[in-house]
Amino acid sequence: MRGAITRVAGPVVVAENLIGAQMYEVVRVGALGLIGEVIRIEGDGATIQVYEDTAGLRVGDPVAASGAPLQVELAPGLLGSIFDGIQRPLPVLRDQTGDFIARGVTAPALDRAVKWQFTPIARAGDVLEPGDLIGSVPETAQIAHRVLVPPNTRGTLIEINAGAFSIDEPIGILQNDGARIEIKLAQKWAVRSARPYARKLDPDTPLITGQRVIDSFFPVTKGGTAIIPGGFGSGKTVAEQTLAKWADADIVIYVGCGERGNEMTDVLEEFPQLIDARTNEPLMRRTILIANTSNMPVAAREASIYTGITLAEFYRDMGYDVALMADSTSRWGEALREISGRLEEMPGEEGYPAYLATRLADFYERAGRVIALGKDARVGSVTVIGAVSPPGGDFSEPMTQNSLRVAGAFWGLDTGLARRRHFPAINWITSYSLYDLRKWFVENVASDWEAQTGEAMALLQEETKLMEIVQLVGSDALAEDQKALLQSARMVREDYLQQFAFHEIDAFCPPHKQYWMLRVILAFQRELMRAIKRSALLDRVIKTETPVAPPNNENGASRAQEPVPSKAQEQIAGEFAQSLAPGGVPMTSTDHGALLERALALPIVAEIARMKEWKHAEAESRARALIEQIEREVGALR
Amino acid sequence: MDTQTSLLTKHYRTLSYISGPLVFVERVANVGYGEIVTITGADGAPRAGQVLEVNRERAVVQVFTGTRGLDADTTRAHFTGNVARLGVAMEMLGRTLNGAGQPLDGGPAVIPEKFLDIHGEPINPYARDHPSEFIQTGISAIDGLNTLVRGQKLPIFSGYGLPANEIAAQIAMHARVLGTSEKFAVVFAALGITHREASFFIQRFETSGALDRTVLFLNLADDPTIERLITPRAALTTAEYLAFDQGLHVLVIITDMTNYCEALREVANAREQVPGRRGYPGDLYTDLATIYERAGRIKDKPGSITQLIILNMPDDDITHPIPDLTGYITEGQIVLSRDLHRRGIYPPIDPLPCLSRLMNAGIGAGKTRADHRGVADQLYSFYAQGRDLRRLVAIIGEAGLGAADRKYLAFADRFEQEFIGQGDTNRAIEDTLNLGWELLRAFPANELKRIKREHIVKYGKGERG
Ligand SMILES: Nc1ncnc2c1ncn2[C@@H]1O[C@H](COP(=O)(O)OP(=O)(O)OP(=O)(O)O)[C@@H](O)[C@H]1O
Ligand SMILES: [Mg+2]
C-alpha cells in the first residue's frame, strides 16, 4: 500500500491514501525510505513519527506501509550488542555509512552468519504451550539462552533437531490443527506491548547494588522500580553506570535515552575490560546497550525505552533477573512532548501531553518479578531504574512527580551534596524505599542488620535537627554529647555514605562489608558517648564532693544544714563505675572539649576512614579488631 | 552558504502572511522540508530563509535576515531545492566570514573542496573515541579542579559584566596538550556579541599568532538575529571538516549562546508554538544537543573538536533554561562568580558549581600526576566547609566558631586569594598541584581523608598544622 505526504513538520509527517494502515504500523517515508511509525489515524490519512531526520521530504513523496508494527528481533546474539533506539546495530551502520549515521540505512539487528549450537530439551511428540522450553543455546559462557515456544504459539512438536543453526533456520516444527509452524531461534515482538507471563510475584529479594547508601537504607528489589532524579551533574549517569556494572542482575539493559554520545563510549570501552566477580566474565557479555543519544532523532528516542524493556522481558521469560537502566526518562518524556506539540494536541502541564502519566505508568508496570509462561514455571524479573532530569533541578515538575507515583524507591540526588563532592549525592533525608527487605537482610547478612542501619539513620536524622540549631546560633551552644553526635554523624556521611564510583576496591561494597563498616562506626559513636558521659559524671562527682548549692526546692533551707544527699551522690558514683571501661583510672581533668578533640585525633579515626579500602574478605576480621581497639582507646579517654 | 540554484527551482509570488521572522507562501508544490529559500522584497536584495513546515497549501519559511520591509504583494520566494549547505575548504583558515559563511574580509569567495549540510549528521556513538588527553590551560581552577580534555564540550556560565571573554581567550591562547605540538585550528563563532567583544578576540588571536589558523564566523549584535540560528552550525560544519577530514585539533569557541536561544524563542513565538519553560521552545534541549554533541573524537581519526561555549545566565540564575539545558548536555561547566569578581579575584571562577565530567579520564599518573584526584577532592572538601562556615559567621559572628572551624575559614580565604586568584599568570599543572599542597599544610595529615596515604608521604612533605 502506498500513500503520499501531505505535510511535514519536523519529525512529524502526515500522509494520505494510507488505506488500512494500523496504529503503530511501521512505514517507509520518502525516496530514502526513512523509517517511521503511524501514531494517529484519521480516515485514510495517517500521522507518522519519523525515526530519522526529515529534511528534504516533500509534499507528494511516497509513503509505504510495511504491514507490521515496530518490533524487535529476539534471538541469541543480543548480549554484548549495541543498538540505536529502533534496534539498528550501530557497528553495522558504521560499516555501511561511516562514522556519521546517514539516513535511510537499515540493517538486521542480528548477524545471520553466526551459527549457534542448539541442544533440544523438548522431544518430538511433546504437546507444547506458549513459554514451554524447547531447548537451549549457550549464548555466553554464563547465559544459557533458553529457546521457548513464542507467546500465541502452541501445538505438537513433530520435529526437532540438534546442531548448529543460524537464527533464521528452523530448529523444529510444531503442528497445530493441521498447520505447520516452523520454530526458529529468532522471534519478533512488538515493542509497545508487554510480553505475557503467567503471574506476578511479590518481590522479596533485593537487587544488591554494592552501593552502601542504597543497600543499607533505600534498597530496591529484584523486579522493583527506582527513580533517580537530580539536576545536571548530580550523578545520575554515574549511578546508572555503577549499578550496571555491579548490581547482581544476570543481564543488564542500558538505555542511553537522549543523553551524551561519550557516555555510551564509556560503557563500550569500560565494560569489556571489567570482569564480573560473580561469573568471571567481562561485564559486556551480560550487557545490551541501546544508544539513542541527544542528537539522534527524537522519535527513535521515544521508542528506545520500549525497545529496551522488550529485550528485558525476553530474558526475564527465560528465567533471568534483568536490570534495565534508563538514562534519562526525562528525555523520553520530552520526545513525547515534542511529538505531541507537532500533532497540535491539547497540552497539559508544562506542555506535556495529558497521557504522560499513563504512558509512564504503563512503562514502569512492565517491571516486576514473575512466573513466566511455560510448564516449568521459571521465575524471572525485570528491575527498572530510571534517571529523571528535572529542569532547574526542581522536583515539582511533571516528569518527577508522575514517576514518583509509580516508583518503589526514590533516590533523590542533591545538587548541594554534589557540589561538595559528596558522592553518591543521594539525599538520605528525602529518599525512601517502599520495599520492606528487612527479612532478607536479617536472614542473609546479620541478625541485627535492621538495628544497625536504623541506628545509623537515626544518627543522621538527629544531625539534621542539630544542624538547624547550629545554623541559628553556632555550634558552641551545643552540649558536649551533641557535639560528639555531630562528629559521629559526619563519620557516617564521609566514611560510610560517600562512595567513590571509580575506586579500585570501594566501587562495590558487598552487604556483609557494609554491615561491618557500620558496626565499627557505631561502636565508635557508642564509646565516644560513654566517654563523654563518664567525664560529665566525673565532673559532677568532683563538684558534689565539695559543698554545692542546695537543691532548689521548698525545703531547701532546712536541707542545707544536712550533709550533701548521699543518694544522688551514690547514684552518680554507681553510674560512673559502670561507665568505666575495663581498666583505666579516672583523671581529674574534665575538659570535654579537649576530650572530643583527643578522641578525633586517635589513629583509629584515620583507620575508620580507610575501611573503604579493606578487602571484602577481610572486612569482618579487621572490623572486629578495630572495634576492640576502639573500645580500648576511646574507653581509656579521660 | 550555498545558494546555487538547481534545476528544480521554483518561484512564487504568493505570500499570504508575514509574522515576525516568518513568511507563509501559498500554493507551493514540490517544496522540501528544511529547503533553503531566497526571499526578495521590493528593495531587490535577496534574503536567505528556510522551510520550517510544509503542507499541501503552504510553506512556512523562516527568514534569516528578518522580514523588515517585506510585503505580501511584491515579495518573491524562490525555492532552491537544496537544504542548507556550506562550502568548506582548508583555505578558510585565516578568513573572516559572516554568520552564514560569506566573506566579510573583502577577500575572494572560498573555493569549496566540499559542500556539507550545515545540520551535519549525528556521530555514530559506536564510532566515538573517549576524550582523554589533558589540556593545560594554565588556570589552576580549571587544570587543578575541573580539568579539560581534548574533545570535551565545556561551557563558561557567565553573567553580564563578568570576564568570560578574557578567560576564554586565555584558554585558547595557552591551551596545550602536554608534550605535543600538533596542528591545531580555532573556529570562532560570534553570536550577537558587540563589535568591541569581537575585536577583543580577534586581537588576542592576532597577538598570539593564531589568527591565520582561525576561521571567524561573525554575527554581531547589529546583524540579523535569525541568522544566528545558522552561525553555530556553519562553524561546526567547518570544524568537522577540519577535524575529521583534515586531521586538525580544532578548538571551537561559541559566544554568546544566550543570543542564539533568544533567536530560537523569537521563531517559536512567531509560529505560535506552545511555549516551554519561560517562553523557550519545548524542543530547546534537542536543538542545543544537535549543536553541542558535535564535539569529540572519532576512532582511528587524528583530529578532534573541543567546544568552549560562552553563555550569560540571565539574572545570574543557573536554573534559567539556557544554562540549565546546556549543563544537561555539556560535559561539565565553568561557573563565574559575581562575588569573586567584586572582590577583585581573577579569574573569578567559583569552583563549587563547576564540574568537568571528563576530568578522571585526563588526569593521574602518566597524564598529570598521581596525586591529582586526591588533592583536587581534598581542596574541594575543605573549601566547601570554609564556605559553609562563612555563611554561618555572617549570622553568628566569628566568635562563635571553634579553633578547628577557624582553620577552614582561613583556608577558604587563602584558597581564593592564591589558588583561584592567580591573575593573568600561566601556571603549569605541577605548580598548581604544589600550590594545592602548600595550602593543605594548614591541616594535619589525618584530616586529609581524600588523599591516599602514600601520596601524603610523597608529596605532602614538610611541617603541617
Ligand atoms: N559515585 C560517584 N563517585 C565519584 N564521582 C561521582 C559519583 N557520582 C557522580 N560523580 C561525579 O559527578 C559528575 C557528574 O555525574 P553524572 O554525569 O552522573 O551527572 P548526571 O546527573 O548524569 O548529569 P546530567 O543530567 O547532566 O547527565 C561525574 O562526572 C563525576 O565526576
Ligand atoms: Mg547524565
Side-chain angles (χ1 to χ4, degrees):
Chain A
M1 189 185 4
R2 268 172 109 74
I5 294 179
T6 59
R7 174 178 172 227
V8 189
V12 169
V13 164
V14 181
E16 62 182 1
N17 289 329
L18 264 185
I19 303 153
Q22 296 190 351
M23 273 302 269
Y24 303 122
E25 181 166 346
V26 168
V27 293
R28 305 300 296 261
V29 180
L32 285 172
L34 308 181
I35 304 167
E37 182 185 10
V38 175
I39 53 171
R40 182 198 274 171
I41 294 177
E42 275 164 286
D44 67 352
T47 305
I48 296 155
Q49 62 173 350
V50 182
Y51 294 130
E52 301 178 72
D53 185 7
T54 52
L57 286 183
R58 293 159 202 272
V59 169
D61 279 359
V63 177
S66 70
L70 182 67
Q71 21 182 27
V72 287
E73 184 159 68
L74 302 169
L78 290 167
L79 295 177
S81 298
I82 171 169
F83 302 108
D84 76 352
I86 50 173
Q87 213 200 9
R88 294 187 299 178
L90 290 171
V92 178
L93 295 197
R94 184 174 182 226
D95 289 343
Q96 287 186 9
T97 69
D99 296 327
F100 294 81
I101 301 178
R103 295 188 298 159
V105 269
T106 52
L110 294 169
D111 193 343
R112 268 53 197 167
V114 181
K115 298 268 186 189
W116 297 95
Q117 198 59 41
F118 173 70
T119 310
I121 292 168
R123 277 178 295 197
D126 287 356
V127 177
L128 299 180
E129 297 287 319
D132 281 347
L133 195 55
I134 303 173
S136 135
V137 161
E139 184 168 358
T140 71
Q142 289 304 318
I143 300 293
H145 187 107
R146 307 201 171 101
V147 181
L148 309 172
V149 178
N152 314 322
T153 308
R154 51 170 48 80
T156 308
L157 193 64
I158 56 171
E159 190 187 318
I160 179 107
N161 300 302
F165 296 94
S166 81
I167 60 173
D168 277 342
E169 290 166 341
I171 51 170
I173 293 170
L174 276 178
Q175 184 149 27
N176 188 19
D177 281 346
R180 288 162 62 91
I181 308 159
E182 281 186 347
I183 304 280
K184 297 174 184 166
L185 293 179
Q187 48 172 294
K188 293 206 162 178
W189 191 262
V191 298
R192 294 189 193 274
S193 356
R195 283 175 63 86
Y197 49 81
R199 187 155 65 81
K200 248 192 187 167
L201 297 171
D202 278 339
D204 58 5
T205 312
L207 181 79
I208 297 299
T209 64
Q211 306 308 299
R212 287 184 288 271
V213 59
I214 295 178
D215 294 343
S216 298
F217 301 115
F218 314 110
V220 64
T221 56
K222 292 204 168 97
T225 53
I227 60 167
I228 323 177
F232 64 80
S234 57
K236 298 178 292 295
T237 304
V238 172
E240 294 271 19
Q241 290 192 357
T242 306
L243 264 51
K245 285 177 200 164
W246 309 121
D248 68 340
D250 300 312
I251 310 255
V252 170
I253 319 276
Y254 193 97
V255 187
C257 175
E259 293 286 316
R260 301 174 184 82
N262 278 333
E263 293 173 347
M264 301 293 107
T265 317
D266 271 341
V267 177
L268 281 171
E269 282 182 5
E270 215 183 337
F271 280 39
Q273 313 293 330
L274 291 171
I275 301 297
D276 183 350
R278 297 179 312 136
T279 62
N280 257 327
E281 283 264 291
L283 278 175
M284 198 62 207
R285 307 230 59 193
R286 69 164 194 182
T287 308
I288 305 173
L289 208 54
I290 313 285
N292 212 99
T293 55
S294 56
N295 55 335
M296 285 159 75
V298 66
R301 187 201 296 172
E302 193 274 331
S304 65
I305 65 164
Y306 297 105
T307 296
I309 200 141
T310 307
L311 300 182
E313 288 171 339
F314 178 57
Y315 284 95
R316 170 204 70 189
D317 291 346
M318 294 180 208
Y320 291 112
D321 290 316
V322 187
L324 177 125
M325 313 291 161
D327 183 18
S328 163
T329 60
S330 291
R331 307 302 168 217
W332 166 83
E334 284 162 14
L336 207 63
R337 175 171 69 184
E338 190 171 335
I339 311 252
S340 162
R342 306 272 187 179
L343 292 174
E344 291 166 3
E345 287 173 341
M346 184 70 158
E349 213 184 332
E350 293 197 16
Y352 286 100
Y355 46 78
L356 174 72
T358 345
R359 292 272 171 97
L360 253 180
D362 288 349
F363 170 70
Y364 278 106
E365 201 40 47
R366 290 174 75 170
R369 189 159 159 263
V370 306
I371 297 183
L373 296 181
K375 292 190 188 70
D376 59 348
R378 294 170 307 273
V379 175
S381 67
V382 173
T383 309
V384 175
I385 296 167
V388 186
S389 315
D394 176 1
F395 291 179
S396 66
E397 56 91 39
M399 269 303 294
T400 314
Q401 288 304 314
N402 285 313
S403 305
L404 266 176
R405 266 191 241 155
V406 287
F410 166 74
W411 303 329
L413 295 178
D414 186 321
T415 305
L417 288 175
R419 286 189 181 168
R420 285 178 182 75
R421 301 313 193 247
H422 173 112
F423 290 122
I426 295 178
N427 183 315
W428 53 90
I429 299 295
T430 55
S431 298
Y432 61 80
S433 167
L434 301 176
Y435 301 109
D436 184 356
L437 289 159
R438 286 174 294 190
K439 186 157 165 279
W440 188 93
F441 282 103
V442 163
E443 281 170 8
N444 292 278
V445 185
S447 54
D448 61 344
W449 171 268
E450 193 184 343
Q452 299 287 327
T453 53
E455 197 178 330
M457 186 45 75
L459 255 181
L460 291 167
Q461 285 167 343
E462 190 58 31
E463 179 194 35
T464 306
K465 277 192 220 144
L466 289 176
M467 285 314 284
E468 278 167 20
I469 300 175
V470 171
Q471 296 298 326
L472 290 176
V473 292
S475 56
D476 267 8
L478 296 183
E480 271 324 293
D481 57 341
Q482 292 175 318
K483 285 185 190 162
L485 186 143
L486 285 186
Q487 290 303 333
S488 311
R490 176 173 169 175
M491 217 173 238
V492 176
R493 281 189 284 116
E494 295 185 353
D495 302 333
Y496 193 74
L497 295 182
Q498 290 186 5
Q499 199 171 351
F500 187 57
F502 312 103
H503 193 281
E504 315 85 270
I505 296 170
D506 200 40
F508 176 81
C509 182
H512 77 89
K513 183 176 170 189
Q514 301 188 18
Y515 169 78
W516 282 105
M517 286 175 75
L518 257 195
R519 280 277 301 258
V520 170
I521 294 174
L522 292 173
F524 179 83
Q525 144 77 0
R526 219 165 24 243
E527 290 305 320
L528 184 62
M529 284 306 188
R530 270 203 199 141
I532 284 182
K533 197 162 159 206
R534 204 161 48 226
S535 95
L537 285 164
L538 185 57
D539 208 13
R540 279 163 66 198
V541 170
I542 291 163
K543 283 189 186 141
T544 45
E545 273 168 355
T546 54
V548 286
N552 187 14
N553 61 26
E554 295 158 347
N555 307 334
S558 61
R559 290 246 181 117
Q561 269 88 16
E562 294 171 18
V564 175
S566 56
K567 238 189 177 171
Q569 205 173 3
E570 265 167 34
Q571 194 194 337
I572 292 169
E575 277 179 35
F576 180 52
Q578 254 183 2
S579 75
L580 281 183
V585 184
M587 299 181 347
T588 43
S589 158
T590 57
D591 182 351
H592 329 300
L595 184 138
L596 186 52
E597 230 162 80
R598 274 181 292 136
L600 294 173
L602 290 172
I604 43 168
V605 173
E607 187 52 32
I608 289 174
R610 299 196 200 283
M611 291 190 297
K612 295 173 180 177
E613 287 162 33
W614 288 355
K615 294 211 175 69
H616 301 162
E618 296 171 0
E620 177 171 352
S621 59
R622 295 189 69 163
R624 284 185 187 281
L626 186 54
I627 291 172
E628 260 176 42
Q629 202 183 344
I630 288 170
E631 285 168 351
R632 221 170 30 241
E633 292 182 12
V634 183
L637 285 178
R638 296 293 174 261
Chain B
M1 186 134 47
D2 167 38
T3 47
Q4 281 175 326
T5 50
S6 79
L7 289 175
L8 283 169
T9 58
K10 298 136 287 188
H11 297 262
Y12 296 91
R13 277 177 177 278
T14 50
L15 261 70
S16 64
Y17 184 62
I18 301 173
S19 158
L22 305 181
V23 300
F24 292 62
V25 188
E26 301 296 320
R27 298 187 298 282
V28 294
N30 235 351
V31 163
Y33 174 75
E35 182 170 336
I36 289 298
V37 188
T38 311
I39 304 283
T40 315
D43 59 3
R47 314 178 190 205
Q50 186 178 17
V51 176
L52 287 187
E53 179 169 344
V54 59
N55 59 34
R56 252 188 309 215
E57 285 85 46
R58 70 180 68 88
V60 180
V61 178
Q62 118 187 315
V63 185
F64 294 128
T65 44
T67 54
R68 180 174 311 169
L70 294 184
D71 62 35
D73 295 340
T74 58
T75 304
R76 282 168 297 141
H78 160 209
F79 291 79
T80 62
N82 289 319
V83 293
R85 295 197 302 167
L86 182 75
V88 291
M90 273 300 270
E91 62 168 76
M92 291 167 91
L93 290 175
R95 298 296 304 267
T96 305
L97 310 167
N98 73 6
Q102 268 138 15
L104 274 184
D105 51 8
V110 173
I111 300 172
E113 290 162 31
K114 240 183 174 177
F115 279 103
L116 298 172
D117 178 353
I118 64 161
H119 295 94
E121 284 169 338
I123 298 179
N124 185 328
Y126 185 74
R128 281 186 186 266
D129 203 355
H130 205 277
S132 61
E133 273 174 289
F134 167 63
I135 297 181
Q136 180 172 299
T137 66
I139 298 175
S140 294
I142 298 178
D143 294 349
L145 304 176
N146 295 287
T147 319
L148 177 65
V149 300
R150 198 177 243 175
Q152 185 166 7
K153 41 187 182 286
L154 196 67
I156 300 178
F157 290 179
S158 182
Y160 294 101
L162 297 181
N165 291 342
E166 285 74 6
I167 295 169
Q170 197 175 337
I171 294 174
M173 301 304 86
H174 295 162
R176 62 188 197 97
V177 176
L178 284 190
T180 61
S181 55
E182 290 153 315
K183 285 208 297 178
F184 74 98
V186 177
V187 175
F188 179 78
L191 310 175
I193 60 173
T194 61
H195 284 268
R196 191 181 46 76
E197 289 171 300
S199 46
F200 163 79
F201 275 103
I202 294 169
Q203 233 161 48
R204 292 295 297 265
F205 294 143
E206 194 157 23
T207 44
S208 67
L211 197 57
D212 57 358
R213 304 209 54 83
T214 301
V215 191
L216 301 165
F217 287 88
L218 303 183
N219 170 290
L220 301 182
D222 50 359
D223 287 331
T225 49
I226 306 303
E227 190 181 80
R228 272 161 220 168
L229 298 180
I230 358 180
T231 310
R233 297 192 162 83
L236 286 163
T237 303
T238 309
E240 281 173 355
Y241 171 77
L242 295 173
F244 303 130
D245 279 22
Q246 300 294 337
L248 304 184
H249 290 293
V250 184
L251 176 66
V252 180
I253 302 175
I254 306 178
T255 177
D256 170 343
M257 274 309 273
T258 307
N259 295 329
Y260 171 87
C261 297
E262 298 306 336
L264 263 187
R265 178 160 73 168
E266 201 177 310
V267 174
N269 288 349
R271 294 185 71 186
E272 295 174 0
Q273 279 179 346
V274 181
R277 241 171 27 113
R278 303 206 205 175
Y280 292 90
D283 60 355
L284 183 58
Y285 173 84
T286 304
D287 191 287
L288 290 176
T290 59
I291 294 175
Y292 299 149
E293 274 290 312
R294 294 172 80 174
R297 307 211 61 160
I298 289 180
K299 279 184 212 157
D300 311 321
K301 289 207 167 159
S304 64
I305 298 180
T306 308
Q307 278 188 26
L308 204 57
I309 303 138
I310 299 173
L311 60 84
N312 275 300
M313 300 182 280
D315 295 329
D316 291 351
D317 177 8
I318 198 169
T319 69
H320 184 282
I322 298 173
D324 189 49
L325 294 179
T326 298
Y328 269 123
I329 302 164
T330 51
E331 285 149 343
Q333 66 277 341
I334 301 295
V335 184
L336 304 191
S337 147
R338 200 163 292 282
D339 175 51
L340 291 177
H341 182 62
R342 269 198 209 112
R343 284 166 33 217
I345 291 171
Y346 180 87
I349 297 175
D350 178 0
L352 296 187
C354 288
L355 173 68
S356 165
R357 295 161 196 265
L358 302 183
M359 175 169 181
N360 284 333
I363 65 169
K367 292 178 171 166
T368 55
R369 216 167 73 179
D371 56 329
H372 193 154
R373 179 83 257 167
V375 171
D377 285 349
Q378 195 63 66
L379 291 170
Y380 250 109
S381 156
F382 287 155
Y383 179 60
Q385 286 192 48
R387 284 270 296 263
D388 281 348
L389 286 165
R390 232 186 242 164
R391 255 202 319 242
L392 192 58
V393 167
I395 306 169
I396 61 161
E398 196 159 342
L401 294 186
D405 286 350
R406 287 211 192 100
K407 224 161 46 177
Y408 293 120
L409 266 189
F411 172 83
D413 289 338
R414 270 194 79 190
F415 180 75
E416 286 172 357
Q417 294 297 336
E418 298 175 31
F419 193 87
I420 300 178
Q422 67 183 95
D424 301 323
T425 55
N426 181 6
R427 261 192 212 139
I429 181 65
E430 286 274 332
D431 297 338
T432 290
L433 292 174
N434 293 343
L435 176 58
W437 278 109
E438 181 58 38
L439 297 176
L440 290 175
R441 251 171 221 274
F443 300 91
N446 71 337
E447 282 194 44
L448 308 183
K449 283 186 176 183
R450 307 283 182 121
I451 307 182
K452 287 207 173 121
R453 221 182 317 210
E454 67 253 37
H455 293 154
I456 300 180
V457 174
K458 183 159 175 201
Y459 300 102
K461 288 191 206 86
E463 225 169 285
R464 38 184 66 257

